[in-house]
Amino acid sequence: GTLLIGLRLNPGVTLTESSALARQAEVLVKQVPEVTHVGRRSGRAELDEHAEGVHVSELDVGLKPTAELTRSMDEIKADIRKRLVNLPAALEIGQPISHRIDHMLSGVRSQIAIKIFGEDLDALRGQADALRAKLAAIPGIADLQIEKQVLAPQIKVRIDYAAAAQYGVPAPQVLSALQALVEGEKVTQIVEGSRRFALVVKLPESARSVEGLGQILIETPNGRIPLSKIATIEDGDGPNQISRDDGKRRIVLSANASGRALSEIVADIRKVVAETKLPEGYFITLGGQFQAQEEASRLVGLLSIVSLTLMFVVLYSRYKSAALSALIMVNIPLALVGAVIGLWLSGQPLSVAALVGFITLAGISVRNGILKVSHYINLMRFEGESFDQKMILRGSLERLSPVLMTALVTAFALAPLLFEAEQPGTEVLHPVAVVIFSGLISSTLLDTFLTPAMFWLFGRKPTAALMDDRDAEAL
């Protein structure tokens, strides 16, 4: 029910200008029909866990209840992007929790982070601009932007070590004095009742210039001298920040997915990156949500293989037959047919949540097969039935009610998650519900007809062998 919009201007912009532009964005976002309220933060305090400069603003956007929305969330985001596209700011649209997760995964508040590593900052910016132009042509990519590493105005102070030595002033002493005066130095604490304030001494704004810094008096053994006598002070520019990962300089291109599956967009990005030629010593890495999804998918895939293997081992230990065990496990692909169709009809991508649903569905479908096959064997063992179509028909009809009852109860329990896909909190559980619900339909229908038929075709010999085993337990 909420969106978080990030606006990034060039570093060095004043708080007044940043606030004015963010106010324009507020007005434009408020014009979206589904928006109920908009709040804003421009900059973050230095001690904040997510400290940002005043060039960064965040808009907290409240939306109408899901039942009142006439458009999907993707359409609402697209509308907001159209309204803000003309503002001179980089745009990031997400949600509060997803932004934090993205930042934790890749250091960037976007779903996709493309990092270019190298030593020369100018070369990094040039490569980032060239790569951005190629990536912009990929359909479905949104909020594509380059990390704000720009040249910011600076005042450079270069110590003349020979002149400083003549006056008997160590260079570290000069740098320490400058740091204290420019950044400020806490000298004491003022107490007023229950409130406490830090008393900080630093240069006034009027002295933060080439002329002002040149007149700063530096302590020497022979008295004070102006800084201009032992240092060169000049205007210049330099990078506003130097970002590193694992000790290597890097610049980041960030992007979100819109209108296409994240995996498809990442596949296109990898093609572009593979075709991009970089200077020696430079390389590109990809990170973000998709990376965590791929790792989780591999883990879930491995665990699913282990689960299926253990299922087969347990079934074999009970039925003493690979044929009967395989016959029961055939219910798994029968269930997966409906699950895949359900995902396709609902427009859901193959996510980690869907994979978890597949594993759960496999267990439910195997249980249905166990109910029927075990009942067939028990009819022959304890009620004197012979292996014929009459016995199979009787067993199938007697097990039809339990199978339908468990399938219907599960389906009714999943209904709230199935039909409220846009409700907050159902983002993960909705794909699970789609997989299990649609898989139950195909599994129940196909199992009703195919399991008896396969048991008739392939179950005679293993059943006879099991019946001859006098030590076999009742199933």
Side-chain angles (χ1 to χ4, degrees), residues 451-467:
T451 299
M454 288 188 293
F455 187 76
W456 171 252
L457 293 174
F458 307 108
R460 184 181 296 273
K461 287 184 179 180
T463 303
L466 188 63
M467 296 295 292

Side-chain angles (χ1 to χ4, degrees), residues 130-142:
L131 184 58
R132 184 189 184 281
K134 296 178 182 178
L135 295 177
I138 295 176
I141 199 166

Side-chain angles (χ1 to χ4, degrees), residues 3 18 21 43 63 67 73 110 120 130 133-135 223 255 259-260 290-291 311 340-341 343 350 356 398 418 449:
L3 293 175
S18 177
L21 187 137
L63 302 177
M73 190 66 76
S110 296
D120 190 303
K134 296 178 182 178
L135 295 177
R260 287 181 72 197
F290 74 92
Q291 188 178 26
M311 278 185 189
V340 171
I341 294 174
L343 285 177
L350 183 61
V356 173
E398 289 178 356
L418 190 67
F449 300 100

Side-chain angles (χ1 to χ4, degrees), residues 244-285:
R244 299 176 185 269
D245 279 2
D246 299 326
K248 302 181 183 67
R249 290 183 176 182
R250 55 88 170 154
I251 192 169
V252 176
L253 285 83
S254 59
N256 290 317
S258 176
R260 287 181 72 197
L262 180 60
S263 57
E264 296 177 3
I265 295 175
V266 170
D268 290 344
I269 290 175
R270 282 178 169 150
K271 290 180 183 178
V272 173
V273 169
E275 297 169 357
T276 301
K277 295 182 180 180
L278 296 175
E280 186 177 354
Y282 290 72
F283 61 94
I284 298 174
T285 64

